[in-house]
Amino acid sequence: VVELGIGDDMAVLKSPDDQLLITTDLLLEGVHFDLTAATLEQVGYKAMACSLSDCAAMASLPLAAVVSVSLPQSMSMTDAHQLHTGLQKTAQQYNCPLVGGDTNSWPQSLTVNIAMLSRPAGITPVRRSTARPDDFIFVTGSLGGSLTGKHLTFTPRVHEARQLASNLQLHAMIDISDGLSQDLHHICIASNVSAILEPDTIPISLAAQTSPDPLHSTLTDGEDYELLFTLAPDQLPALTELQNQLDVPLTRIGRLIEPDKTPALFLQQKDQTLKPLIPKGYQHFHD
Amino acid sequence: VVELGIGDDMAVLKSPDDQLLITTDLLLEGVHFDLTAATLEQVGYKAMACSLSDCAAMASLPLAAVVSVSLPQSMSMTDAHQLHTGLQKTAQQYNCPLVGGDTNSWPQSLTVNIAMLSRPAGITPVRRSTARPDDFIFVTGSLGGSLTGKHLTFTPRVHEARQLASNLQLHAMIDISDGLSQDLHHICIASNVSAILEPDTIPISLAAQTSPDPLHSTLTDGEDYELLFTLAPDQLPALTELQNQLDVPLTRIGRLIEPDKTPALFLQQKDQTLKPLIPKGYQHFHD
């Protein structure tokens, strides 16, 4: 697919489909990773994997990526090489070649930006805005506690998303980067629906099970990079069948309803009453 | 061309051509701009214009862009808005919509990354690697002294590049970002040719005319964002005709020759002898 790679003013790609998808993700040292806890190869992995997770969230197939890096002047060429190794290995693993780059040196911290292209490859991109009342809400994998390590080692659900979208009529999908409550809220706002979560059903990761408040952790930690998707109840039999072919568990955690004026989230209590849930997660801006 | 813009996990674009081009460019505060000398709107302009200049260097037509920003925590929403205004105005001016973004806040300096897509739109992308011996070397506009202001206000030569490439058989093209000598050297290396520059013919910008060494300034200052292109001598009549339709001057500054072992640059002296020219310009890495 690459007609002209790194080394000219721009890379030239074959564009196999009529449609094309693009995303950009910036990782900042001290915000998205900590070089006392992560190797540079892990940072390279995470940078690619975050964008691959965006491709997954649209059920699209990764096509190519470009990377921009600001290297601290204190970093050696060996350091830069390790970062590159992490990027390159992941690019190969997901068949998403790095076709361009811009590397700069400066006296401040490491930043890594990935812009990634993907293509529908036969599957209509799954949006956030097309969820419907009465949909069931599902997640892949388990949630919470990502900071203890998973935020560096998660598997972007590219394969699973393609499997889900080609076998089921998904109404909406997003990857959980900000946190379950906040990303579910994004779907609710975009689709004008409200959501009821059943707390006992939310799959809690091992890392979150030892946290002071495991449920809170699953709702707000973020950086799970699992898929959150909604579908009509009549898709359940097909989903059950598909589950056997997937290595990752699919768990129903709630349902969507018509909004009462504005989209909102609720936790269903043991007595079946609904308790409002304020969406919370990692926020870069506080108004 | 935009089927789904900002607000989902990825933007969805119509892909009008079989080919697609992509570039990524990172601007760092203190390296590429200085907020005591540039407004945030100018920074937004420069970020877009650098990538637009890459589109021009391939004679391609800008299609869409995504932007990643790290905002210093000290910046206000008004500041962020000014940056956005600069980006957005330029996007509109060049019909290159911003379709996605990632904005983060951190305790360090401002960084702005643009990844830009473009398309051939009927013109084969012009590479660096296809220059030939005996080609004439041309530049648009005038060179040198960009730091006195032009690096914030230059016009990306998108229109001129399309005019040149559709009316002439260009062999190679690049935009001058690192500096004439270094970018010419990039073409020489990629094409395996050497180059002879005729110093008296190099157009010196007004800003560089008052510098201590105007010729040196044109050769090494960089950030001119003018086009450097090569073509066979038989294209001269067509070029002369085209010049009348362009607002920017086209100037012949030298010629390419077969390399003697390795590609090299030379300055032609008044007595016609050749003096080796070491390519020099802005370099982020010094081995």
Coordinates of all heavy atoms in Angstrom, one line a residue, chain B residues 76-131:
Chain B
S76 N -4.7 30.4 29.0 CA -6.1 30.5 29.2 C -6.9 29.9 28.0 O -6.3 29.6 27.0 CB -6.4 32.0 29.3 OG -6.2 32.6 28.1
M77 N -8.2 29.8 28.2 CA -9.0 29.4 27.1 C -9.0 30.4 25.9 O -9.1 30.0 24.8 CB -10.4 29.1 27.5 CG -10.6 27.9 28.4 SD -9.9 26.4 27.7 CE -11.2 25.9 26.5
T78 N -8.8 31.7 26.3 CA -8.7 32.7 25.2 C -7.4 32.5 24.4 O -7.5 32.6 23.2 CB -8.6 34.1 25.9 OG1 -9.6 34.2 26.9 CG2 -8.7 35.2 24.9
D79 N -6.3 32.1 25.0 CA -5.1 31.8 24.3 C -5.3 30.6 23.4 O -5.0 30.7 22.2 CB -4.0 31.4 25.3 CG -3.5 32.6 26.1 OD1 -3.6 33.7 25.7 OD2 -3.0 32.3 27.3
A80 N -5.9 29.6 23.9 CA -6.2 28.4 23.1 C -7.1 28.7 21.9 O -6.9 28.2 20.8 CB -6.9 27.3 23.9
H81 N -8.0 29.6 22.1 CA -8.9 30.1 21.1 C -8.2 30.8 20.0 O -8.5 30.6 18.8 CB -10.1 30.9 21.7 CG -11.1 31.3 20.7 ND1 -12.1 30.5 20.2 CD2 -11.3 32.5 20.0 CE1 -12.8 31.1 19.3 NE2 -12.3 32.3 19.1
Q82 N -7.2 31.6 20.4 CA -6.4 32.4 19.4 C -5.6 31.4 18.5 O -5.5 31.6 17.3 CB -5.5 33.4 20.1 CG -6.2 34.6 20.5 CD -5.3 35.6 21.3 OE1 -4.1 35.4 21.3 NE2 -5.9 36.6 21.9
L83 N -5.0 30.4 19.1 CA -4.3 29.4 18.4 C -5.2 28.7 17.4 O -4.9 28.6 16.2 CB -3.7 28.4 19.3 CG -3.0 27.2 18.7 CD1 -1.8 27.6 18.0 CD2 -2.7 26.1 19.8
H84 N -6.4 28.4 17.9 CA -7.4 27.7 17.0 C -7.8 28.6 15.9 O -8.0 28.1 14.8 CB -8.6 27.3 17.9 CG -9.6 26.5 17.2 ND1 -10.8 27.0 16.8 CD2 -9.6 25.2 16.7 CE1 -11.5 26.1 16.1 NE2 -10.8 25.0 16.1
T85 N -8.0 29.9 16.1 CA -8.3 30.8 15.1 C -7.3 30.8 14.0 O -7.7 30.8 12.8 CB -8.5 32.2 15.7 OG1 -9.5 32.2 16.7 CG2 -8.8 33.3 14.6
G86 N -6.0 30.8 14.3 CA -5.0 30.8 13.3 C -5.0 29.5 12.5 O -4.8 29.5 11.3
L87 N -5.3 28.4 13.2 CA -5.3 27.1 12.5 C -6.6 27.1 11.5 O -6.5 26.7 10.4 CB -5.5 26.0 13.5 CG -4.3 25.7 14.4 CD1 -4.8 24.8 15.6 CD2 -3.2 25.0 13.6
Q88 N -7.7 27.5 12.1 CA -8.9 27.4 11.4 C -9.0 28.4 10.1 O -9.4 28.0 9.1 CB -10.1 27.8 12.3 CG -11.4 27.2 12.0 CD -11.4 25.7 12.0 OE1 -11.0 25.0 12.9 NE2 -11.8 25.0 10.9
K89 N -8.5 29.6 10.3 CA -8.5 30.5 9.2 C -7.7 30.0 8.0 O -8.0 30.1 6.9 CB -7.9 31.9 9.7 CG -8.8 32.9 10.3 CD -8.1 34.2 10.5 CE -8.9 35.2 11.2 NZ -8.1 36.4 11.6
T90 N -6.5 29.4 8.4 CA -5.6 28.9 7.4 C -6.2 27.7 6.7 O -6.1 27.5 5.5 CB -4.2 28.6 8.0 OG1 -3.9 29.6 8.9 CG2 -3.2 28.4 6.9
A91 N -6.9 26.8 7.5 CA -7.6 25.7 6.9 C -8.6 26.1 5.9 O -8.7 25.5 4.8 CB -8.3 24.9 8.1
Q92 N -9.3 27.2 6.2 CA -10.4 27.6 5.3 C -9.7 28.2 4.0 O -10.2 28.0 2.9 CB -11.3 28.7 6.0 CG -12.4 28.0 6.8 CD -13.1 29.0 7.7 OE1 -13.0 30.2 7.5 NE2 -13.7 28.5 8.8
Q93 N -8.7 29.0 4.3 CA -8.0 29.7 3.2 C -7.5 28.7 2.1 O -7.6 29.0 0.9 CB -6.9 30.5 3.7 CG -6.2 31.5 2.8 CD -5.0 32.2 3.5 OE1 -4.9 32.2 4.7 NE2 -4.2 32.8 2.7
Y94 N -7.0 27.6 2.6 CA -6.4 26.6 1.7 C -7.4 25.4 1.4 O -6.9 24.4 0.9 CB -5.1 26.2 2.2 CG -4.0 27.2 2.0 CD1 -3.8 28.2 2.9 CD2 -3.3 27.3 0.8 CE1 -2.9 29.2 2.7 CE2 -2.4 28.3 0.5 CZ -2.2 29.2 1.5 OH -1.2 30.2 1.3
N95 N -8.6 25.6 1.8 CA -9.6 24.5 1.6 C -9.1 23.2 2.1 O -9.2 22.1 1.4 CB -9.9 24.4 0.1 CG -11.2 23.7 -0.2 OD1 -12.1 23.6 0.7 ND2 -11.3 23.2 -1.4
C96 N -8.6 23.2 3.3 CA -8.0 22.0 3.9 C -8.6 21.8 5.3 O -7.9 22.2 6.3 CB -6.5 22.1 4.0 SG -5.6 20.7 4.7
P97 N -9.8 21.3 5.4 CA -10.5 21.3 6.7 C -9.7 20.5 7.8 O -9.1 19.5 7.6 CB -11.8 20.6 6.4 CG -11.6 19.9 5.2 CD -10.6 20.6 4.4
L98 N -9.8 21.1 9.1 CA -9.4 20.4 10.2 C -10.4 19.4 10.6 O -11.5 19.8 11.0 CB -9.1 21.4 11.4 CG -7.8 22.2 11.3 CD1 -7.9 23.3 12.3 CD2 -6.6 21.3 11.6
V99 N -10.1 18.1 10.6 CA -11.1 17.1 10.8 C -11.0 16.3 12.1 O -11.8 15.5 12.4 CB -11.2 16.0 9.6 CG1 -11.6 16.8 8.3 CG2 -9.8 15.3 9.4
G100 N -9.9 16.6 12.8 CA -9.7 15.9 14.1 C -8.7 16.6 14.9 O -7.9 17.4 14.4
G101 N -8.7 16.3 16.2 CA -7.7 17.0 17.1 C -7.5 16.2 18.4 O -8.4 15.4 18.8
D102 N -6.5 16.5 19.0 CA -6.2 16.0 20.4 C -5.5 17.1 21.2 O -4.4 17.5 20.8 CB -5.3 14.8 20.3 CG -5.1 14.1 21.6 OD1 -5.9 14.3 22.5 OD2 -4.2 13.3 21.8
T103 N -6.2 17.6 22.1 CA -5.7 18.8 22.9 C -5.4 18.3 24.4 O -6.3 17.7 25.0 CB -6.7 19.9 22.9 OG1 -7.0 20.3 21.6 CG2 -6.1 21.1 23.6
N104 N -4.2 18.5 24.8 CA -3.8 18.2 26.1 C -3.2 19.3 26.9 O -2.6 20.2 26.2 CB -2.8 17.1 26.1 CG -3.2 15.8 25.4 OD1 -3.8 14.9 26.0 ND2 -3.0 15.8 24.1
S105 N -3.3 19.3 28.1 CA -2.7 20.4 29.0 C -1.5 19.8 29.8 O -1.6 18.6 30.2 CB -3.8 20.9 29.9 OG -3.2 21.6 30.9
W106 N -0.4 20.5 29.9 CA 0.7 20.0 30.7 C 1.5 21.2 31.2 O 1.3 22.3 30.8 CB 1.6 19.0 29.9 CG 2.5 19.6 28.8 CD1 2.3 20.7 28.1 CD2 3.7 19.0 28.4 NE1 3.4 20.9 27.2 CE2 4.2 19.8 27.4 CE3 4.4 17.8 28.7 CZ2 5.4 19.5 26.7 CZ3 5.5 17.5 28.0 CH2 6.0 18.4 27.0
P107 N 2.4 21.0 32.2 CA 3.2 22.1 32.8 C 4.3 22.6 32.0 O 5.1 23.3 32.5 CB 3.6 21.5 34.1 CG 3.7 20.0 33.9 CD 2.7 19.7 32.8
Q108 N 4.5 22.2 30.7 CA 5.6 22.6 29.9 C 5.2 23.5 28.8 O 4.1 24.0 28.8 CB 6.4 21.4 29.5 CG 7.0 20.6 30.7 CD 8.0 19.6 30.4 OE1 8.9 19.8 29.6 NE2 7.8 18.4 31.0
S109 N 6.0 23.6 27.7 CA 5.7 24.6 26.7 C 4.7 24.1 25.6 O 4.4 22.9 25.6 CB 7.0 25.0 26.0 OG 7.8 25.7 26.9
L110 N 4.3 25.1 24.8 CA 3.3 24.8 23.7 C 4.0 24.0 22.6 O 5.1 24.3 22.2 CB 2.9 26.1 23.2 CG 1.9 26.1 22.0 CD1 0.5 25.4 22.5 CD2 1.6 27.5 21.5
T111 N 3.3 22.9 22.2 CA 3.7 22.2 21.0 C 2.4 22.0 20.2 O 1.3 21.9 20.7 CB 4.2 20.8 21.3 OG1 3.2 19.9 21.7 CG2 5.2 20.8 22.5
V112 N 2.6 22.1 18.9 CA 1.5 22.0 17.9 C 2.0 21.0 16.8 O 3.0 21.3 16.1 CB 1.2 23.4 17.3 CG1 -0.1 23.2 16.4 CG2 0.9 24.4 18.3
N113 N 1.2 20.0 16.6 CA 1.5 19.0 15.5 C 0.4 19.0 14.5 O -0.8 18.9 14.9 CB 1.8 17.6 16.1 CG 2.4 16.7 15.0 OD1 3.6 16.8 14.7 ND2 1.5 15.9 14.3
I114 N 0.8 19.1 13.3 CA -0.2 18.9 12.2 C 0.1 17.7 11.4 O 1.3 17.5 11.0 CB -0.2 20.2 11.2 CG1 -0.6 21.5 12.0 CG2 -1.1 20.0 10.0 CD1 -2.0 21.6 12.3
A115 N -0.8 16.8 11.2 CA -0.7 15.8 10.2 C -1.6 16.1 9.1 O -2.8 16.4 9.3 CB -1.0 14.4 10.8
M116 N -1.1 16.2 7.9 CA -1.9 16.7 6.7 C -2.0 15.6 5.6 O -1.0 15.0 5.3 CB -1.4 18.0 6.2 CG -2.3 18.7 5.3 SD -1.7 20.4 4.8 CE -2.1 21.3 6.2
L117 N -3.2 15.5 5.1 CA -3.4 14.6 3.9 C -3.5 15.5 2.7 O -4.1 16.6 2.7 CB -4.7 13.8 4.1 CG -4.8 12.8 5.2 CD1 -6.2 12.3 5.4 CD2 -3.8 11.7 5.0
S118 N -3.1 15.0 1.6 CA -3.3 15.7 0.3 C -3.5 14.6 -0.8 O -3.4 13.4 -0.5 CB -2.1 16.6 -0.1 OG -0.9 15.8 -0.3
R119 N -3.9 15.1 -2.0 CA -4.1 14.2 -3.1 C -3.5 14.7 -4.4 O -3.3 15.9 -4.5 CB -5.6 13.9 -3.2 CG -6.4 15.2 -3.6 CD -7.9 15.0 -3.3 NE -8.7 16.0 -3.9 CZ -9.3 15.9 -5.1 NH1 -9.2 14.9 -5.8 NH2 -10.0 16.9 -5.6
P120 N -3.2 13.7 -5.3 CA -2.5 14.2 -6.5 C -3.5 15.0 -7.4 O -3.0 16.0 -8.0 CB -2.2 12.8 -7.2 CG -2.2 11.8 -6.1 CD -3.2 12.3 -5.1
A121 N -4.8 14.7 -7.4 CA -5.7 15.5 -8.2 C -5.2 15.7 -9.6 O -5.2 16.8 -10.1 CB -6.1 16.8 -7.5
G122 N -4.8 14.6 -10.2 CA -4.4 14.7 -11.7 C -2.9 15.0 -11.9 O -2.5 15.0 -13.1
I123 N -2.2 15.3 -10.9 CA -0.7 15.6 -11.1 C 0.1 14.5 -10.3 O -0.1 14.4 -9.1 CB -0.4 17.0 -10.6 CG1 -1.1 18.0 -11.4 CG2 1.1 17.2 -10.6 CD1 -1.0 19.5 -10.9
T124 N 1.0 13.8 -11.0 CA 1.8 12.9 -10.4 C 2.7 13.6 -9.3 O 3.3 14.6 -9.7 CB 2.7 12.2 -11.4 OG1 1.9 11.6 -12.4 CG2 3.6 11.1 -10.8
P125 N 2.7 13.0 -8.1 CA 3.5 13.7 -7.1 C 5.0 13.8 -7.5 O 5.6 12.9 -8.1 CB 3.4 12.7 -5.9 CG 2.1 12.0 -6.1 CD 1.9 11.9 -7.6
V126 N 5.6 15.0 -7.3 CA 6.9 15.3 -7.7 C 7.9 15.0 -6.5 O 7.7 15.5 -5.4 CB 7.1 16.8 -8.1 CG1 8.5 17.0 -8.6 CG2 6.1 17.2 -9.2
R127 N 8.8 14.1 -6.8 CA 9.7 13.5 -5.7 C 11.0 14.3 -5.7 O 11.3 15.1 -6.5 CB 9.9 12.0 -6.0 CG 8.7 11.2 -6.1 CD 9.0 9.8 -6.3 NE 7.7 9.0 -6.4 CZ 7.6 7.7 -6.2 NH1 8.7 7.0 -5.9 NH2 6.5 7.1 -6.2
R128 N 11.8 13.9 -4.7 CA 13.2 14.4 -4.5 C 14.1 13.6 -5.3 O 15.2 14.0 -5.6 CB 13.6 14.4 -3.1 CG 12.8 15.1 -2.1 CD 13.3 15.0 -0.7 NE 12.5 15.8 0.3 CZ 12.8 15.9 1.5 NH1 13.8 15.2 2.1 NH2 12.0 16.6 2.3
S129 N 13.8 12.4 -5.6 CA 14.7 11.3 -6.1 C 14.8 11.2 -7.6 O 15.5 10.3 -8.1 CB 14.3 10.0 -5.5 OG 13.0 9.7 -5.9
T130 N 14.2 12.1 -8.3 CA 14.1 11.9 -9.8 C 14.7 13.1 -10.6 O 14.5 13.3 -11.7 CB 12.6 11.7 -10.2 OG1 11.8 12.6 -9.5 CG2 12.2 10.3 -9.9
A131 N 15.6 13.8 -9.9 CA 16.4 14.9 -10.6 C 17.4 14.2 -11.5 O 17.8 13.1 -11.2 CB 17.1 15.8 -9.6

